[in-house]
């Protein structure tokens, strides 16, 4: 069975909307492109490494449209490595509408998203979900992911679509490697899906020593 990896860029208050540019998702959101001033070589290398081994992309309709209009024209340029990868692998699109699938290798998923994602897992080894916040809500709710790469940037926006905006259910995750910070303060967190749901406890229990004065 293949692995579903979610790749997300977020602010400190976990806004994940339109990190790449002002025209990405502009309706009611004044901070499109918030990630650009915070990029540095360390974060760039982390992102590049995260895509190593990718053999399929799983995208929401909006992200797919942005990618389809950009990446086919980037081979041979500064982003040639990622462009070549994205252009060559299959692209699976989650959409209730009828998106233009002219980007080579694009396939629209059927109405039963959970079943479709399980089918993708059977056909591929390393499937990457990039952006696509609406799709991510479903994957989180159905626990249809294996790894979450989250780049948390040192800004607070106060508005915008959140990474865990209504799609999350109680879930345990485990830290797969130590957090890594970039010179500009972005922290890369890599979590894996774990069994069970979050437990609870009592911080005032005697064996924890809370409130003791001796």
């Amino acid at each position: 069975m293949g692995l579903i990896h979610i790749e997300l860029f977020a602010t400190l208050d976990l806004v994940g909307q339109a990190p790449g540019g002002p025209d990405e998702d502009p309706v009611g959101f004044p901070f499109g492109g918030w990630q650009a001033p915070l990029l540095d070589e360390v974060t760039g290398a982390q992102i590049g490494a995260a895509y190593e081994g990718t053999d399929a992309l799983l995208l929401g309709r909006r992200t797919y449209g942005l990618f389809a209009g950009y990446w086919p024209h980037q081979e041979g340029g500064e982003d040639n490595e990622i462009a070549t990868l994205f252009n060559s692998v299959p692209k699976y699109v989650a959409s209730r509408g009828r998106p233009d699938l002219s980007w080579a290798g694009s396939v629209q998923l059927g109405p039963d998203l959970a079943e479709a994602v399980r089918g993708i897992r059977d056909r591929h080894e390393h499937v990457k979900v990039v952006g696509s916040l609406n799709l991510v809500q479903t994957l989180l709710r159905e626990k249809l992911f294996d790894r979450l790469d989250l780049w948390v940037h040192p800004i607070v926006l106060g508005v915008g679509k959140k990474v865990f905006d209504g799609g999350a259910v109680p879930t345990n995750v485990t830290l797969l490697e130590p957090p890594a910070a970039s010179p500009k303060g972005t922290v890369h967190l890599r979590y894996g899906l774990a069994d069970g749901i979050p437990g609870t406890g009592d911080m005032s229990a005697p064996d924890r020593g809370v409130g003791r004065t001796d």
Side-chain angles (χ1 to χ4, degrees):
M1 179 182 292
L3 302 175
I4 305 292
H5 296 167
I6 299 174
E7 314 293 332
L8 287 176
F9 309 117
T11 65
L12 192 60
D13 53 339
L14 293 182
V15 172
Q17 184 173 355
D23 298 325
E24 187 174 327
D25 189 6
V27 179
F29 185 66
F31 295 109
W34 54 263
Q35 184 188 23
L38 298 169
L39 286 176
D40 54 38
E41 291 186 1
V42 170
T43 299
Q46 292 169 346
I47 295 169
Y51 288 121
E52 291 179 0
T54 298
D55 59 356
L57 293 175
L58 174 58
L59 305 170
R61 178 191 58 79
R62 185 184 296 275
T63 300
Y64 172 80
L66 292 168
F67 278 21
Y70 180 78
W71 289 113
H73 312 291
Q74 302 307 311
E75 290 193 29
E78 182 178 351
D79 296 321
N80 176 69
E81 187 172 350
I82 290 183
T84 300
L85 172 65
F86 283 5
N87 291 330
S88 63
V89 301
K91 276 74 69 174
Y92 296 97
V93 187
S95 174
R96 295 185 181 91
R98 302 183 66 180
D100 178 3
L101 299 177
S102 57
W103 192 10
S106 299
V107 178
Q108 183 174 357
L109 300 181
D112 188 336
L113 182 61
E115 180 181 4
V117 171
R118 293 184 184 101
I120 294 171
R121 271 180 159 169
D122 290 338
R123 294 191 294 275
H124 299 284
E125 293 295 324
H126 298 286
V127 182
K128 296 295 189 296
V129 182
V130 188
S132 307
L133 287 180
N134 290 336
L135 169 61
V136 166
Q137 306 308 311
T138 300
L139 299 180
L140 294 173
R141 183 171 60 250
E142 301 291 338
K143 298 188 179 182
L144 287 172
F145 73 98
D146 301 283
R147 191 180 82 191
L148 171 61
D149 278 327
L150 188 63
W151 282 268
V152 179
H153 296 70
I155 54 171
V156 174
L157 297 182
V159 296
K161 298 175 183 176
K162 298 291 188 71
V163 171
F164 300 104
D165 191 11
V169 296
T171 303
N172 284 329
V173 296
T174 184
L175 191 65
L176 297 178
E177 57 188 55
S182 76
K184 291 190 176 182
T186 297
V187 179
H188 177 210
L189 301 166
R190 174 166 286 175
Y191 293 105
L193 180 64
D195 294 332
I197 61 174
T200 61
D202 185 354
M203 293 298 292
S204 64
D207 60 344
R208 293 188 179 275
V210 177
R212 288 183 180 176
T213 58
D214 56 335

